[in-house]
Amino acid sequence: MGDSDVQASVEVERTATLCDPNVVKQYLLNLVPVLLCGSDPQIDGAEDELEAVKAMFAFPDTSDKCRVFANDPNAPVMYVLKEIEPVDEHTGFSTASFALSFELSWKPTHAGSIALIKRVQTLDPAVSIARQIQVMNLPGPASSSGAAASVAATAADTGALPPSSESA
């Protein structure tokens, strides 16, 4: 076997073991609705949030990001970012949007994120993706302010907080 045959064989093996980005996309389609959807009553229905998750894959760079995350050892983390747009005055509801990013960013409209952290250098298509990545659900400022207000109200109702100075 000549040097060119060995190089061709190695190249075929290398391309044969690349993970299909559609595996990552399908995993996200199953994961994101469970972890980031349906938690805000101001959002116009769970179906709309599910459609927003699907719409994330309409961006031209989304497939590239899934491919890079799966196959590039220099991309150990990918984030799914959820943004909540302000309440629409005509419908009375907010709208959610989702995007993939290799960097975590915080905005006032940021409602939450999912961090996908690879446990391996590159994803192996022969192994379940769930065994190869760690998933972390990260709340955002838009979701934590409502939660903090709810906790404070509950604590005040149960007497866990001292009365405010206004009532004294």
Side-chain angles (χ1 to χ4, degrees):
M1 198 183 249
D3 284 340
S4 63
D5 292 337
V6 171
Q7 286 178 325
S9 174
V10 169
E11 189 62 33
V12 168
E13 283 183 35
R14 194 175 320 154
T15 58
T17 60
L18 289 179
C19 185
D20 181 3
N22 289 321
V23 172
V24 176
K25 288 165 63 174
Q26 187 58 52
Y27 184 76
L28 291 173
L29 282 171
N30 293 332
L31 181 73
V32 172
V34 173
L35 294 180
L36 288 179
C37 292
S39 61
D40 191 344
Q42 291 292 328
I43 302 294
D44 188 16
E47 295 86 22
D48 290 342
E49 277 199 325
L50 184 57
E51 289 304 314
V53 171
K54 291 177 184 177
M56 168 175 63
F57 295 104
F59 296 117
D61 66 337
T62 302
S63 287
D64 287 338
K65 287 178 181 175
C66 290
R67 181 187 48 75
V68 167
F69 176 69
N71 298 302
D72 187 346
N74 295 317
V77 179
M78 183 170 67
Y79 300 96
V80 179
L81 308 173
K82 178 181 180 181
E83 304 293 330
I84 299 195
E85 301 305 319
V87 174
D88 182 298
E89 59 188 51
H90 298 292
T91 66
F93 288 101
S94 298
T95 57
S97 63
F98 298 86
L100 294 181
S101 177
F102 291 114
E103 296 179 11
L104 190 56
S105 61
W106 298 99
K107 302 175 188 174
T109 58
H110 186 84
S113 301
I114 300 172
L116 303 162
I117 306 164
K118 287 192 290 191
R119 296 178 180 175
V120 293
Q121 292 286 316
T122 60
L123 298 181
D124 183 348
V127 178
S128 166
I129 193 171
R131 293 178 181 238
Q132 300 179 72
I133 62 173
Q134 173 80 32
V135 177
M136 294 180 69
N137 197 348
L138 307 169
S143 63
S144 62
S145 62
S150 174
V151 169
T154 302
D157 289 343
T158 60
L161 292 178
S164 67
S165 60
E166 294 174 3
S167 62

